[in-house]
Amino acid sequence: PWWAVIPTSILPGVVLKACSFSSAEISLLPTGHRCISQAAAKIDVDFDYDGPLMKTEVPGPRSRELMKQLNGIQNAEAVHFFCNYEESRGNYLVDVDGNRMLDLYSQISSIPIGYSHPSLIKLLQQPQNLSTFINRPALGILPPENFAERLKESLLSVAPKGLSQVVTMSCGSCSNENAFKAIFMWYRNKERGHNNVTKEELESCMINQPPGCPDYAMLSFMGGFHGRTMGCLATTHSKAIHKLDIPSLDWPIAPFPRLKYPLEDFVKENQQEEARCLEEVEDLIVKYRKKKKIVAGIIVEPIQSEGGDNHASDDFFRKLRDIARKHGCAFLVDEVQTGGGCTGKFWAHEHWGLDDPADVVTFSKKMMTGGFFHKEEFRPNAPYRIFNTWLGDPSKNLMLAEVIKVIKREDLLNNATHAGKALLTGLLDLQARYPHLISRARGRGTFCSFDTPNDATRNKLITIARNKGVVLGGCGDRSIRFRPTLIFKDHHAHLFLNIFSDILANFK
Ligand SMILES: Cc1ncc(COP(=O)(O)O)c(C=O)c1O
């Protein structure tokens, strides 16, 4: 019988809840999981814990010791605490001091289906998958036999509308960096038409000069974040600390709408604000063209994340998309943080309801591998033009295929909508009760956030919440953002809201 394979040692605090793992999967769960049966072949089990369990303040003594050790080797000042990933499960992150916290930040929004998901454990234990994890190939020259098939099962099964091509990369910055390159090559080839590359181009590019290195630009938005590599950094405008001391490019930067909340009370003002920003986009394209700098592409996040969870209306993005088309600029949608289902749709840009939403879409984080989707016309015209040694990692595609199966099987996009509603409703209620501490509560799916009065209050709230067993993230200069996993459910939202309500009631 199925229960024979389930460990009998039951840890306190492990909860029983509806879910759907096969008995084979359950046998792979780490010890400490409780299970109950469902009528038919499926078995109810939840590998999640039932709540936070705090033993020390965070960081605790062991974390502090390890921080000191690491700081001797590198600047480790950004480290929050050290983790025990073996014990972390579902929505709960366990630290090295034995504290178990409800994780609403999920490794900067990059854990799709929770820690130690049984389906992924099973995948890793299958002998036929071992070689994919051991032998990391230089994918651009020596891919494994099943590589194209795996891409179809994983990335292409969720490809954004109209984007049939995909290239994998190792991180979000690397994805944007290469997407820029693909856009510039596309633009130059358009200009070149049927003419061959000239000797002058080949020679001048070797010394970073035009015409070989044309004066093209990507237009980006104030408050945007697209990564920390040199090219990406020229389009990142969230915090000065990312950019300080790094030479950059004279590329146009447009204002991003600053919406007033509640949205229903400021319809006209917000429309005007969006119109102002769109007008500025067009003006910049024209102004730069006059300077002989051509805006080859526009990059935008569907929700500016690191920059403070700044939203704009679907209508703003539809109009922006039109502007890009009108001026012959490629439209690059950076879904590194918004992609993978947390907004309730697989891609946040799907909310815009467009038939032709983007020319290029970059991804990473919850997608496990970085990379970008693009239209066929953005294919490089020669090998090695978009290239690096690894070009991602096939083991990540294998895991992503499984993650996508779980998302479908467990209806996790609808779950994100539902759980997100529970979270936002609760935040709006807290905002009404504590307007001096919480404002501008906003969100799509579980991609929610609110503002605090200032940076100091925000940081204090995050620290208190962590010591009460909830990991939250900050963004912008005063916002708190929610980036839970896709298995964050209504009851997790209520659990958080109860804890946070107490924190606010006692906040001094
Ligand atoms: C929207 C967006 N683009 C790009 C990046 C850069 O990704 P990575 O940190 O993997 O280089 C991030 C990272 O937070 C991001 O949020």
Side-chain angles (χ1 to χ4, degrees):
W2 65 266
W3 57 86
V5 296
I6 294 168
T8 47
S9 62
I10 295 167
L11 286 181
V14 177
V15 78
L16 311 176
K17 233 162 270 110
C19 179
S20 51
F21 299 117
S22 66
S23 54
E25 282 169 331
I26 287 163
S27 69
L28 298 163
L29 290 169
T31 51
H33 295 276
R34 271 193 330 199
C35 310
I36 54 170
S37 78
Q38 215 179 24
K42 290 284 180 193
I43 291 162
D44 275 356
V45 63
D46 197 331
F47 63 106
D48 218 3
Y49 293 101
D50 68 352
L53 183 68
M54 301 305 286
K55 295 182 176 164
T56 71
E57 67 168 6
V58 184
R62 179 69 181 139
S63 262
R64 279 201 293 271
E65 191 183 306
L66 293 168
M67 280 161 145
K68 217 168 137 197
Q69 213 182 82
L70 185 62
N71 209 37
I73 301 167
Q74 55 178 235
N75 183 325
E77 287 165 47
V79 172
H80 299 169
F81 52 86
F82 280 75
C83 304
N84 178 342
Y85 289 106
E86 288 75 21
E87 288 299 320
S88 301
R89 291 201 279 273
N91 289 281
Y92 290 88
L93 178 59
V94 176
D95 77 359
V96 288
D97 290 285
N99 299 300
R100 183 208 297 157
M101 291 160 270
L102 176 65
D103 188 359
L104 305 185
Y105 196 35
S106 66
Q107 311 292 326
I108 325 183
S109 197
S110 67
I111 298 284
I113 52 173
Y115 295 103
S116 302
H117 196 285
S119 299
L120 293 179
I121 295 176
K122 181 179 165 193
L123 190 83
L124 260 78
Q125 291 181 336
Q126 285 167 1
Q128 71 271 25
N129 292 332
L130 273 187
S131 136
T132 307
F133 288 94
I134 298 169
N135 304 307
R136 186 175 186 178
L139 274 172
I141 53 170
L142 298 165
E145 184 177 7
N146 61 10
F147 186 50
E149 193 188 318
R150 283 268 179 272
L151 286 177
K152 282 184 195 153
E153 278 170 19
S154 57
L155 288 163
L156 290 173
S157 76
V158 291
K161 235 184 222 174
L163 309 188
S164 62
Q165 307 285 300
V166 70
V167 184
T168 49
M169 292 286 161
S170 297
C171 70
S173 305
C174 192
S175 309
N176 280 327
E177 198 78 36
N178 281 282
F180 294 173
K181 282 176 58 185
I183 287 170
F184 293 140
M185 291 173 198
W186 162 81
Y187 204 95
R188 189 74 191 110
N189 281 332
K190 253 192 340 174
E191 283 191 332
R192 205 176 265 132
H194 294 298
N195 297 327
N196 287 333
V197 176
T198 63
K199 185 162 172 280
E200 193 193 0
E201 284 180 293
L202 291 173
E203 284 171 3
S204 58
C205 77
M206 294 305 288
I207 51 165
N208 304 351
Q209 297 294 320
C213 294
D215 224 349
Y216 291 161
M218 291 294 300
L219 182 145
S220 54
F221 288 88
M222 207 58 205
F225 183 94
H226 302 290
R228 293 176 170 87
T229 52
M230 293 278 291
C232 292
L233 207 49
T235 61
T236 283
H237 318 283
S238 52
K239 290 181 192 131
I241 192 70
H242 304 322
K243 294 176 72 72
L244 187 68
D245 300 335
I246 314 298
S248 201
L249 296 151
D250 172 23
W251 286 357
I253 307 157
F256 192 80
R258 171 84 185 161
L259 299 187
K260 289 194 173 140
Y261 290 81
L263 295 177
E264 56 279 15
D265 292 354
F266 294 99
V267 174
K268 198 152 165 253
E269 287 89 338
N270 288 337
Q271 275 171 356
Q272 281 168 354
E273 168 67 351
E274 294 194 337
R276 175 185 76 87
C277 296
L278 291 168
E279 203 178 305
E280 185 76 12
V281 169
E282 287 213 74
D283 285 352
L284 281 167
I285 296 173
V286 174
K287 196 170 120 197
Y288 269 68
R289 195 171 289 150
K290 280 194 191 135
K291 288 208 278 184
K292 300 256 175 302
K293 252 186 208 294
I294 291 166
V295 178
I298 296 177
I299 180 166
V300 72
E301 294 160 88
I303 302 167
Q304 282 191 342
S305 310
E306 303 288 324
D309 269 30
N310 306 317
H311 293 247
S313 70
D314 295 335
D315 191 52
F316 171 82
F317 288 101
R318 289 191 282 260
K319 288 181 174 146
L320 184 64
R321 207 297 171 240
D322 281 345
I323 290 174
R325 199 180 288 110
K326 175 177 157 194
H327 291 275
C329 312
F331 194 56
L332 194 176
V333 181
D334 178 347
E335 292 254 21
V336 168
Q337 193 151 160
T338 47
C342 44
T343 69
K345 298 213 184 266
F346 204 91
W347 302 108
H349 71 251
E350 290 172 45
H351 290 283
W352 308 339
L354 290 174
D355 285 334
D356 179 27
D359 296 307
V360 183
V361 170
T362 49
F363 56 83
S364 192
K365 294 200 188 259
K366 282 196 173 56
M367 300 299 287
M368 314 200 98
T369 171
F372 60 104
F373 294 102
H374 60 86
K375 288 184 177 165
E376 255 191 69
E377 60 195 275
F378 289 80
R379 274 170 81 104
N381 58 349
Y384 295 105
R385 298 203 78 190
I386 298 290
F387 190 87
N388 60 44
T389 304
W390 280 329
L391 282 176
D393 180 342
S395 68
K396 303 293 180 195
N397 302 346
L398 186 65
M399 294 212 282
L400 178 64
E402 191 59 34
V403 164
I404 292 169
K405 268 190 216 159
V406 173
I407 291 176
K408 287 183 182 155
R409 185 176 74 204
E410 297 184 12
D411 199 16
L412 294 182
L413 298 186
N414 279 330
N415 177 64
T417 305
H418 207 268
K421 198 167 165 209
L423 178 59
L424 188 56
T425 306
L427 290 175
L428 289 166
D429 175 52
L430 290 178
Q431 174 175 289
R433 283 160 52 205
Y434 303 98
H436 59 297
L437 290 173
I438 293 192
S439 61
R440 302 178 82 237
R442 54 201 182 273
R444 200 153 223 184
T446 58
F447 205 103
C448 293
S449 49
F450 61 83
D451 281 8
T452 65
N454 51 48
D455 183 38
T457 308
R458 183 260 308 270
N459 296 347
K460 199 167 159 192
L461 282 170
I462 290 177
T463 306
I464 298 173
R466 196 168 66 191
N467 285 324
K468 301 268 181 207
V470 178
V471 179
L472 293 168
C475 63
D477 57 4
R478 64 183 63 183
S479 307
I480 288 183
R481 62 176 148 172
F482 296 83
R483 297 292 179 273
T485 70
L486 298 172
I487 58 161
F488 172 85
K489 305 268 167 77
D490 290 29
H491 67 270
H492 297 110
H494 295 136
L495 182 68
F496 158 74
L497 289 163
N498 280 337
I499 295 172
F500 205 62
S501 170
D502 278 353
I503 292 174
L504 293 171
N506 296 307
F507 190 82
K508 282 184 211 88

PDB file of all heavy atoms in Angstrom, residues 171-173 176 225-227 301 306 334 336-337 364-365, ligand 1:
ATOM      1  N   CYS A 171      22.005  33.774 -17.184  1.00  0.00           N
ATOM      2  CA  CYS A 171      21.384  34.643 -16.179  1.00  0.00           C
ATOM      3  C   CYS A 171      20.603  35.754 -16.882  1.00  0.00           C
ATOM      4  O   CYS A 171      20.638  35.869 -18.113  1.00  0.00           O
ATOM      5  CB  CYS A 171      22.433  35.242 -15.244  1.00  0.00           C
ATOM      6  SG  CYS A 171      23.485  36.461 -16.041  1.00  0.00           S
ATOM      7  N   GLY A 172      19.948  36.566 -16.094  1.00  0.00           N
ATOM      8  CA  GLY A 172      19.103  37.617 -16.666  1.00  0.00           C
ATOM      9  C   GLY A 172      19.909  38.668 -17.406  1.00  0.00           C
ATOM     10  O   GLY A 172      19.531  39.085 -18.517  1.00  0.00           O
ATOM     11  N   SER A 173      21.022  39.089 -16.815  1.00  0.00           N
ATOM     12  CA  SER A 173      21.841  40.126 -17.462  1.00  0.00           C
ATOM     13  C   SER A 173      22.370  39.620 -18.794  1.00  0.00           C
ATOM     14  O   SER A 173      22.330  40.326 -19.810  1.00  0.00           O
ATOM     15  CB  SER A 173      23.029  40.493 -16.575  1.00  0.00           C
ATOM     16  OG  SER A 173      22.591  40.864 -15.308  1.00  0.00           O
ATOM     17  N   ASN A 176      19.669  39.769 -21.418  1.00  0.00           N
ATOM     18  CA  ASN A 176      19.426  41.107 -21.971  1.00  0.00           C
ATOM     19  C   ASN A 176      20.591  41.565 -22.835  1.00  0.00           C
ATOM     20  O   ASN A 176      20.397  42.121 -23.913  1.00  0.00           O
ATOM     21  CB  ASN A 176      19.193  42.119 -20.836  1.00  0.00           C
ATOM     22  CG  ASN A 176      17.779  42.035 -20.294  1.00  0.00           C
ATOM     23  OD1 ASN A 176      16.839  41.738 -21.033  1.00  0.00           O
ATOM     24  ND2 ASN A 176      17.610  42.293 -19.013  1.00  0.00           N
ATOM     25  N   PHE A 225      15.256  48.276 -14.345  1.00  0.00           N
ATOM     26  CA  PHE A 225      16.418  47.456 -13.979  1.00  0.00           C
ATOM     27  C   PHE A 225      16.533  46.320 -14.989  1.00  0.00           C
ATOM     28  O   PHE A 225      15.596  45.543 -15.164  1.00  0.00           O
ATOM     29  CB  PHE A 225      16.265  46.880 -12.561  1.00  0.00           C
ATOM     30  CG  PHE A 225      17.478  46.093 -12.131  1.00  0.00           C
ATOM     31  CD1 PHE A 225      18.491  46.699 -11.405  1.00  0.00           C
ATOM     32  CD2 PHE A 225      17.621  44.751 -12.466  1.00  0.00           C
ATOM     33  CE1 PHE A 225      19.630  45.986 -11.024  1.00  0.00           C
ATOM     34  CE2 PHE A 225      18.749  44.033 -12.098  1.00  0.00           C
ATOM     35  CZ  PHE A 225      19.758  44.656 -11.370  1.00  0.00           C
ATOM     36  N   HIS A 226      17.696  46.253 -15.633  1.00  0.00           N
ATOM     37  CA  HIS A 226      17.870  45.196 -16.627  1.00  0.00           C
ATOM     38  C   HIS A 226      19.160  44.417 -16.435  1.00  0.00           C
ATOM     39  O   HIS A 226      19.575  43.676 -17.327  1.00  0.00           O
ATOM     40  CB  HIS A 226      17.795  45.801 -18.032  1.00  0.00           C
ATOM     41  CG  HIS A 226      16.498  46.509 -18.283  1.00  0.00           C
ATOM     42  ND1 HIS A 226      15.306  45.837 -18.421  1.00  0.00           N
ATOM     43  CD2 HIS A 226      16.198  47.832 -18.344  1.00  0.00           C
ATOM     44  CE1 HIS A 226      14.322  46.720 -18.588  1.00  0.00           C
ATOM     45  NE2 HIS A 226      14.832  47.930 -18.543  1.00  0.00           N
ATOM     46  N   GLY A 227      19.819  44.618 -15.284  1.00  0.00           N
ATOM     47  CA  GLY A 227      21.024  43.856 -15.010  1.00  0.00           C
ATOM     48  C   GLY A 227      22.214  44.756 -14.788  1.00  0.00           C
ATOM     49  O   GLY A 227      22.133  45.975 -14.927  1.00  0.00           O
ATOM     50  N   GLU A 301      10.277  46.708 -18.662  1.00  0.00           N
ATOM     51  CA  GLU A 301       9.731  45.650 -17.805  1.00  0.00           C
ATOM     52  C   GLU A 301       8.203  45.831 -17.749  1.00  0.00           C
ATOM     53  O   GLU A 301       7.749  46.973 -17.591  1.00  0.00           O
ATOM     54  CB  GLU A 301      10.250  45.783 -16.376  1.00  0.00           C
ATOM     55  CG  GLU A 301      11.724  45.570 -16.179  1.00  0.00           C
ATOM     56  CD  GLU A 301      12.196  46.188 -14.861  1.00  0.00           C
ATOM     57  OE1 GLU A 301      12.142  45.519 -13.834  1.00  0.00           O
ATOM     58  OE2 GLU A 301      12.618  47.365 -14.872  1.00  0.00           O
ATOM     59  N   GLU A 306      12.869  45.941  -9.461  1.00  0.00           N
ATOM     60  CA  GLU A 306      13.890  46.456  -8.537  1.00  0.00           C
ATOM     61  C   GLU A 306      13.685  47.949  -8.275  1.00  0.00           C
ATOM     62  O   GLU A 306      14.011  48.455  -7.209  1.00  0.00           O
ATOM     63  CB  GLU A 306      15.298  46.275  -9.124  1.00  0.00           C
ATOM     64  CG  GLU A 306      15.679  44.862  -9.486  1.00  0.00           C
ATOM     65  CD  GLU A 306      15.932  43.994  -8.278  1.00  0.00           C
ATOM     66  OE1 GLU A 306      16.467  44.509  -7.282  1.00  0.00           O
ATOM     67  OE2 GLU A 306      15.569  42.820  -8.329  1.00  0.00           O
ATOM     68  N   ASP A 334      11.388  42.791 -21.035  1.00  0.00           N
ATOM     69  CA  ASP A 334      12.232  42.091 -20.058  1.00  0.00           C
ATOM     70  C   ASP A 334      11.314  41.432 -19.022  1.00  0.00           C
ATOM     71  O   ASP A 334      10.776  42.093 -18.140  1.00  0.00           O
ATOM     72  CB  ASP A 334      13.179  43.106 -19.406  1.00  0.00           C
ATOM     73  CG  ASP A 334      14.071  42.474 -18.335  1.00  0.00           C
ATOM     74  OD1 ASP A 334      13.799  41.334 -17.923  1.00  0.00           O
ATOM     75  OD2 ASP A 334      15.030  43.145 -17.913  1.00  0.00           O
ATOM     76  N   VAL A 336      12.337  39.002 -16.999  1.00  0.00           N
ATOM     77  CA  VAL A 336      13.211  38.258 -16.083  1.00  0.00           C
ATOM     78  C   VAL A 336      12.535  38.080 -14.723  1.00  0.00           C
ATOM     79  O   VAL A 336      12.576  37.003 -14.137  1.00  0.00           O
ATOM     80  CB  VAL A 336      14.591  38.950 -15.961  1.00  0.00           C
ATOM     81  CG1 VAL A 336      15.394  38.375 -14.805  1.00  0.00           C
ATOM     82  CG2 VAL A 336      15.374  38.801 -17.259  1.00  0.00           C
ATOM     83  N   GLN A 337      11.901  39.125 -14.229  1.00  0.00           N
ATOM     84  CA  GLN A 337      11.266  39.006 -12.907  1.00  0.00           C
ATOM     85  C   GLN A 337       9.768  38.724 -12.990  1.00  0.00           C
ATOM     86  O   GLN A 337       9.207  38.058 -12.141  1.00  0.00           O
ATOM     87  CB  GLN A 337      11.513  40.275 -12.077  1.00  0.00           C
ATOM     88  CG  GLN A 337      11.163  40.097 -10.630  1.00  0.00           C
ATOM     89  CD  GLN A 337      11.963  40.944  -9.646  1.00  0.00           C
ATOM     90  OE1 GLN A 337      11.527  41.138  -8.545  1.00  0.00           O
ATOM     91  NE2 GLN A 337      13.112  41.440 -10.007  1.00  0.00           N
ATOM     92  N   SER A 364      14.563  34.684 -17.123  1.00  0.00           N
ATOM     93  CA  SER A 364      15.532  33.992 -16.249  1.00  0.00           C
ATOM     94  C   SER A 364      14.776  33.634 -14.974  1.00  0.00           C
ATOM     95  O   SER A 364      13.605  33.298 -15.029  1.00  0.00           O
ATOM     96  CB  SER A 364      16.749  34.884 -15.991  1.00  0.00           C
ATOM     97  OG  SER A 364      17.783  34.133 -15.400  1.00  0.00           O
ATOM     98  N   LYS A 365      15.397  33.747 -13.819  1.00  0.00           N
ATOM     99  CA  LYS A 365      14.757  33.533 -12.510  1.00  0.00           C
ATOM    100  C   LYS A 365      13.855  32.296 -12.478  1.00  0.00           C
ATOM    101  O   LYS A 365      14.327  31.193 -12.576  1.00  0.00           O
ATOM    102  CB  LYS A 365      13.992  34.797 -12.105  1.00  0.00           C
ATOM    103  CG  LYS A 365      14.952  35.986 -11.856  1.00  0.00           C
ATOM    104  CD  LYS A 365      14.301  37.054 -11.026  1.00  0.00           C
ATOM    105  CE  LYS A 365      15.119  38.313 -10.922  1.00  0.00           C
ATOM    106  NZ  LYS A 365      15.845  38.447  -9.676  1.00  0.00           N
TER     107      LYS A 365
HETATM  108  C1  LIG B   1      13.770  42.738 -14.774  1.00  0.00           C
HETATM  109  C2  LIG B   1      15.155  42.214 -14.554  1.00  0.00           C
HETATM  110  N1  LIG B   1      15.997  42.144 -15.595  1.00  0.00           N
HETATM  111  C3  LIG B   1      17.240  41.658 -15.461  1.00  0.00           C
HETATM  112  C4  LIG B   1      17.707  41.220 -14.250  1.00  0.00           C
HETATM  113  C5  LIG B   1      19.098  40.694 -14.131  1.00  0.00           C
HETATM  114  O1  LIG B   1      19.085  39.343 -13.891  1.00  0.00           O
HETATM  115  P1  LIG B   1      20.356  38.632 -13.223  1.00  0.00           P
HETATM  116  O2  LIG B   1      20.452  39.143 -11.831  1.00  0.00           O
HETATM  117  O3  LIG B   1      20.037  37.176 -13.316  1.00  0.00           O
HETATM  118  O4  LIG B   1      21.534  38.997 -14.045  1.00  0.00           O
HETATM  119  C6  LIG B   1      16.854  41.264 -13.131  1.00  0.00           C
HETATM  120  C7  LIG B   1      17.329  40.804 -11.819  1.00  0.00           C
HETATM  121  O5  LIG B   1      16.774  41.048 -10.796  1.00  0.00           O
HETATM  122  C8  LIG B   1      15.542  41.779 -13.288  1.00  0.00           C
HETATM  123  O6  LIG B   1      14.699  41.856 -12.262  1.00  0.00           O
END
